[in-house]
Amino acid sequence: MSETFPWSVLGIAPTSDRKAIRKAYAAAVKAMDIDAEVDAYAHLRSARDQALALARETPVDAVSPLALRDVSEDGGDPLPGDEGASSSSSGFWPLAAPRLLRPLGEGSVRTAPQTPEPAPGRPCFETIFPDAPADTPIAATLELGPHQSLAAPTLSGYGEIEAALGLIPGQTACERLEAVLTESDDAELAEAERIVALRALQAAIGEARSEGIDRQEQVEDWLAGLLATHWPRSAPLLETATQAFGWHEEWHRFDARPAVRFIGARLRGARFRARVEDPGHRYHAAWRELNRKGPAGPFRWLRASRDDVQFVLSGLRANFAHLEDELDPRRIASWNRPVIWPRVVLGLCWLALLANLLGLSWPFVSPAYELPDGTQIELAEDGPGPTLFGEYLETAVAESLGQGHDLAWLWDRDAELARRIVAQVRASLDSGGGAEGATRAAVNLVRAATHAKGHTLSGEAREAAMRLRLDQLRAAREMAPATCLTLLHDGQLPQQASAFPEPLRARERAAAARLAETPLPPENPGEEDTSVPIPGALIDAIIARTGLPDAAVREALQNEGEDAPRCDVAIALLAAALDWDGEPATREAILRAL
Amino acid sequence: MLIGIDLGTTNSAAAIWQDGTARLIPAGADGALLTPSAVSCDAAGATWVGTPARDRRAAHPADTATSFKRAMGTNTLFHLAGREFRAEDLSALVLRALVEDIAAETGTRPTEAVITVPAYFNDRQRKATRQAGELAGLTVRRLINEPTAAALAFGLQDKGDREPFLVFDLGGGTFDVSIVEMFEGIVEVRASAGDNRLGGDDFDRALIALAAPRLDPDGRLAALPETRREALLARAAERCRKALSSAAKAEFTVTLDAKTQLSLPIGQDEFEAACGPLLDRLRDPIVRALRDSDIAAHDLSEIVLVGGATRMPAVRKAITRLFGRFPNAAVHPDHAVALGAAIQAGLAARDAALDEVRITDVCPYTLGVEVAEPSPNGGLLKGLFSPIIERNTPVPVSRVQSYSTLSDGQKQIEFGIYQGEAREVARNIRLGEIRIPVPARPAGEVDVDVRFSYDSSGLLEVDLHIPLDDSRHNLVILDEEDREGPESLAARREALAALKFHPREDAANMALLARAERCYEDHIGPVRQNLGRAISRFTGILDTQEPRLIAEARDRLSAQLDAIEGSAPL
């Protein structure tokens, strides 16, 4: 930077007079429109700031004499460890800068005050807390020695645990805290130490609370550095200190103090760990898996899902990277490698295909058939294998819905019916009905389903469905009156009945395929009991069609009497109702009953 | 005419710059200088603003809104008598009432205003405030930070030089701290910090939490509908807190009906203990402002108190302890901000009396973009915040920062623009985004210069420049994408204009009636019965439409209310 900056910008000769600098700056600001000259304003600001900084550095009379004396005393004092000297210093704070910038390395941090480091092993309180212990009679109590301190009279705020640990009575809370944290190299605080440390921490916080904000900040800064330096020994203290100073507000900030960020990562890591160790936690399995030693085997995906593990890993890295250091790197490495199990599965598939080609049945698992929606159904050990079962299924479907239709086609349109067909075919095969029985069962099932679906239709389609029904009943009557009645009540033909003639079958298949997309109506078992009033006109028509006497017709309509007249009356009623153009509601009720 | 408006959480005030001095404008006929930030409606669309609206809260809690400033910049809807309002709409109604007062006082209708906002209001909250001004038919010339305005009012008392002082502004809903220095007529804000969710309302809530469980052993209060119960408790807390500002003990009193009054004495110490967590929250913004300005607390020349909540002894005690000295109460805590806004209005109008005064402010939040970084353990850390303008940088300011592509053959870059202090953008406030095409090159070979320009009114402009192909892109963050356009603004303004306001002469009667009703709700026994009779008598006289009779009756009722409120412990 040129010799003339910042003075050239301010338009004055180099000076250490703050007033002159500010006057020049004020004149320059008033002469410009800062909203229009953004860069010039920034330039002027930085010139002013630099000039003021230079003025501060130059030791001239303009600088406050008090501050000067302070600097010379503490800067020139080579004895930070000398109690007498430091206690004699006036009440002024040697570290007036509000920020103690200390570099913090990962895992190992050290409070670095701006004054020279005291000799190793010595507590650094004298430099950080010059006003703390001087007037307490430490010298006298020190003579007692660590063993005798047990017998020493208990001072106020000084308890038996402290005494047992050999701590010095009369220590300030801050000193005691540092002593407990530094006196051992153990990674963890012993229970007694933990109690003392926590008590000392709370006392230190309480003392700071009753002080001014500058002092609070010094204590806070010092504490943050101390706790960060002595982690993991300080681990049980982090929560309390964080609550007291609101560090949780700070550690998310991009400009958080390094010690606070360090503590934040440790504390959040501990909180995360406490939560994730609960077996009910969403990522518990992934966490446990990552904590195992050694590389993970090919079946690691059985223990935790890959996505979960990756999620936990990326969360660790973004938030508390130190937790990853505690995990076995080989384990993590194997999770980072592409998984080889797809190849294993592929190999198994080849084996299965080979076995199938050789006509072997898979020796380990019971045969299963995969449905179009991907679910597997188990087949009987001694029944047909999956391939044969599939063939039977397709035959049954083609017989029910016509050539060119297969199970997948039906599955897309009416999964419920398809599922029932599969169940029916399997049940039929299991009961020894063979391929033919299975097909017949399926056809019957579809016939009943088509009839049920027909009831949900209206208009032309409804009429066509009922005409088909009429012809089915007539065909069944040809076979036997009982068959007709079974069809009338169950919608199905009896198991042993022979099939309908082919033209009727074709109409059935066409109707089933046409109605494939119509959903099955919910079953309504109460429907059979509904009584339907039949108008006299229809009774007359039935009598005319059947030639039966009036009484026999009425008996049949009550579902009484012999099969043949009941069947004839039902057919006649259906035919008459279809041709009748009476009241629509009554007609619909009659059709529904049939 | 350019006016200054303090749009507060609890109270608002308007001031003008006239004849070389800032002057507050009285609200309405009774000469009060503050207008409560309250709006009340009835089913017929009649609307009350200010004192009568606050009084109506007693009898019509569900149809009255207060403290809506806390909802600025959010989508919260207030339902008053079947109408929906956003916080901006309600603020606009308050602004309009202030404009009416100025028009009545000066004879001219102001069209331009300087409106104050808490320093720690974020971009969204500032935009909502600006919009409220527009809805009220005002051109908002500038938004000025409340502590800055207070500093202006404080500093211009004698125009002398001042070493850095701290403005401690604890209002009804927000807390701000600013460190300000004055020399040679320059008022320089060094740093601002705050908590835009901490204010007198929170202390009321602490008081309710303290009193409610002991107040109501029979559960009679708990059995009331929620809006009514909350309104009763809020009013009781407000009164009790005020009383505690001048006495060691005060009654927390809730009037349930004509016969029942629940009452509980609250001591200063109890209240202070209950406020502990809130008082602790005062520390963090102070520390941040001190750190950012690199000033030690003992170097501050003054602690200047602003905002109604600084009247609380508990707060003053905490301040005294934090700074080791007594705060300066030289400025009126409720008036300073409005007066400062009027001074800023005078500055903006280049008034000759302010020729030697300049004010420089800072931007209290950090502004930056979203970036991704390779993680040391492999992989990519996404969603990180990269600051471009750091907080407490003097404004206006223009800063540039360079970023490069992350993957080979990358064809475009998206910059999410954020405001806040967190390392992860998810914790910051998203202001907008810009997506630009970049020439496809190997990763890291394409640089993009991102320039942020932030002006004194808080308007951010983003310029992108790719040196490789010398292409330039520009984005002005005017509104977030989900904000509606000018047509809908006009529609909302019309909807507000359709509300019925009482003519000025009626307004006094309505306000008195609202006050009488509030008084009625607060009392039991014979006093209440008397009030009930007086209210029906007064409404009867109003119906005669006889101006002379009405004026007499108004004076009588007013005197009666003064007597009751003057004597009762409430």
Side-chain angles (χ1 to χ4, degrees), chain B residues 91-116:
Chain B
S91 302
L93 292 173
V94 173
L95 288 174
R96 196 156 100 167
L98 295 172
V99 166
E100 299 286 342
D101 290 335
I102 293 178
E105 171 86 6
T106 64
T108 30
R109 200 178 171 80
T111 51
E112 294 185 308
V114 170
I115 301 180
T116 63

Side-chain angles (χ1 to χ4, degrees), chain A residues 184-436:
Chain A
S184 158
D185 289 334
D186 290 351
E188 276 181 37
L189 287 174
E191 181 59 12
E193 288 173 328
R194 194 186 64 80
I195 293 171
V196 171
L198 209 53
R199 217 186 279 171
L201 175 68
Q202 276 156 351
I205 292 167
E207 276 169 28
R209 272 290 156 75
S210 60
E211 302 265 358
I213 202 154
D214 286 348
R215 176 72 178 161
Q216 285 193 17
E217 245 204 293
Q218 280 158 358
V219 174
E220 181 191 338
D221 256 344
W222 169 78
L223 256 179
L226 180 78
L227 295 178
T229 313
H230 294 289
W231 191 82
R233 238 171 117 67
S234 62
L237 309 175
L238 300 186
E239 194 81 61
T240 307
T242 297
Q243 291 306 325
F245 294 105
W247 287 338
H248 50 280
E249 297 284 332
E250 182 178 340
W251 65 45
H252 294 298
R253 293 192 193 140
F254 64 83
D255 58 348
R257 286 166 293 175
V260 171
R261 178 167 299 161
F262 178 92
I263 289 171
R266 268 64 195 171
L267 190 51
R268 289 169 64 218
R271 289 176 183 171
F272 165 77
R273 180 187 295 223
R275 272 203 295 269
V276 83
E277 308 244 295
D278 170 14
H281 193 277
R282 164 82 178 75
Y283 294 102
H284 177 71
W287 172 249
R288 286 242 341 242
E289 164 55 26
L290 279 172
N291 270 284
R292 284 171 212 272
K293 298 282 173 234
F299 293 104
R300 52 183 180 270
W301 49 274
L302 283 175
R303 292 208 203 90
S305 97
R306 189 175 168 74
D307 286 349
D308 285 2
V309 170
Q310 289 303 340
F311 179 84
V312 169
L313 264 181
S314 62
L316 289 188
R317 284 168 185 173
N319 293 291
F320 9 87
H322 64 283
L323 282 190
E324 190 181 340
D325 301 340
E326 296 172 22
L327 306 176
D328 188 335
R330 287 172 299 168
R331 195 88 190 166
I332 293 170
S334 51
W335 273 101
N336 283 338
R337 267 200 302 277
V339 193
I340 31 166
W341 67 265
R343 250 182 285 164
V344 175
V345 169
L346 212 62
L348 292 177
C349 289
W350 277 112
L351 269 177
L353 192 65
L354 199 66
N356 206 338
L357 288 175
L358 296 175
L360 299 172
S361 67
W362 189 244
F364 304 112
V365 288
S366 51
Y369 180 77
E370 190 185 328
L371 297 178
D373 66 347
T375 53
Q376 303 267 340
I377 55 165
E378 265 186 42
L379 301 177
E381 297 271 1
D382 49 358
T387 320
L388 205 53
F389 182 72
E391 278 175 27
Y392 289 164
L393 262 184
E394 293 304 347
T395 312
V397 171
E399 263 312 290
S400 309
L401 295 141
Q403 287 299 331
H405 298 115
D406 59 15
L407 188 65
W409 181 88
L410 182 60
W411 204 282
D412 285 340
R413 286 157 183 83
D414 191 349
E416 173 59 23
L417 181 59
R419 220 172 265 127
R420 286 195 200 175
I421 290 174
V422 173
Q424 186 72 266
V425 168
R426 192 173 61 161
S428 180
L429 290 173
D430 286 354
S431 62
E436 240 184 77

Side-chain angles (χ1 to χ4, degrees), chain B residues 258-543:
Chain B
K259 294 201 193 75
T260 332
Q261 218 166 30
L262 304 173
S263 193
L264 181 78
I266 301 279
Q268 183 69 248
D269 297 346
E270 262 183 295
F271 177 50
E272 222 178 291
C275 296
L278 294 174
L279 295 172
D280 283 348
R281 280 168 64 189
L282 297 174
R283 184 181 161 270
D284 188 51
I286 298 172
V287 169
R288 268 188 290 144
L290 288 171
R291 268 186 207 147
D292 286 353
S293 59
D294 207 9
I295 290 172
H298 64 77
D299 287 338
L300 293 169
S301 63
E302 301 274 7
I303 315 297
V304 179
L305 299 188
V306 188
T310 57
R311 287 205 183 85
M312 278 186 278
V315 171
R316 295 204 167 192
K317 228 162 147 183
I319 296 168
T320 308
R321 186 168 44 73
L322 284 174
F323 294 101
R325 71 185 104 166
F326 290 105
N328 179 320
V331 295
H332 192 293
D334 294 324
H335 299 166
V337 171
L339 291 173
I343 297 170
Q344 174 65 60
L347 277 169
R350 302 195 183 280
D351 190 281
L354 294 167
D355 201 29
E356 282 305 299
V357 176
R358 290 287 186 280
I359 176 156
T360 64
D361 209 335
V362 294
C363 116
Y365 280 100
T366 300
L367 298 160
V369 294
E370 176 180 355
V371 294
E373 267 174 17
S375 145
N377 295 315
L380 212 56
L381 286 178
K382 286 181 191 160
L384 297 179
F385 182 55
S386 168
I388 294 180
I389 296 180
E390 291 207 21
R391 64 164 187 271
N392 290 321
T393 305
V395 290
V397 61
S398 183
R399 289 275 161 85
V400 69
Q401 192 80 258
S402 212
Y403 298 92
S404 57
T405 50
L406 261 174
S407 45
D408 292 337
Q410 192 171 336
K411 288 208 182 102
Q412 63 172 9
I413 295 189
E414 185 188 321
F415 286 99
I417 295 154
Y418 289 84
Q419 173 182 53
E421 311 306 320
R423 210 161 57 93
E424 290 146 19
V425 289
R427 294 172 186 275
N428 292 330
I429 289 174
R430 187 184 178 88
L431 301 182
E433 63 168 47
I434 181 167
R435 201 184 292 235
I436 55 161
V438 293
R441 293 286 154 85
E445 281 195 10
V446 185
D447 284 344
V448 183
D449 293 336
V450 181
R451 177 177 287 277
F452 272 29
S453 307
Y454 195 80
D455 73 9
S456 304
S457 283
L459 194 70
L460 174 66
E461 197 175 327
V462 180
D463 289 291
L464 304 170
H465 176 225
I466 305 175
L468 199 70
D469 61 359
D470 202 30
S471 61
R472 286 171 198 279
H473 303 268
N474 173 279
L475 172 73
V476 181
I477 313 259
L478 284 166
D479 279 332
E480 311 111 79
E481 53 278 13
D482 55 348
R483 274 288 156 81
E484 65 269 73
E487 317 82 47
S488 104
L489 197 70
R492 278 167 70 195
R493 192 179 295 145
E494 264 168 40
L496 291 182
L499 295 167
K500 281 175 253 162
F501 293 90
H502 304 285
R504 252 183 119 69
E505 56 273 21
D506 278 4
N509 298 332
M510 290 300 131
L512 186 65
L513 208 52
R515 183 178 162 210
E517 278 168 3
R518 168 180 51 84
C519 216
Y520 176 85
E521 291 287 326
D522 283 345
H523 288 83
I524 56 170
V527 178
R528 189 177 174 121
Q529 285 165 17
N530 273 338
L531 271 169
R533 276 195 296 276
I535 289 169
S536 38
R537 205 162 45 231
F538 183 62
T539 41
I541 292 172
L542 281 183
D543 288 341

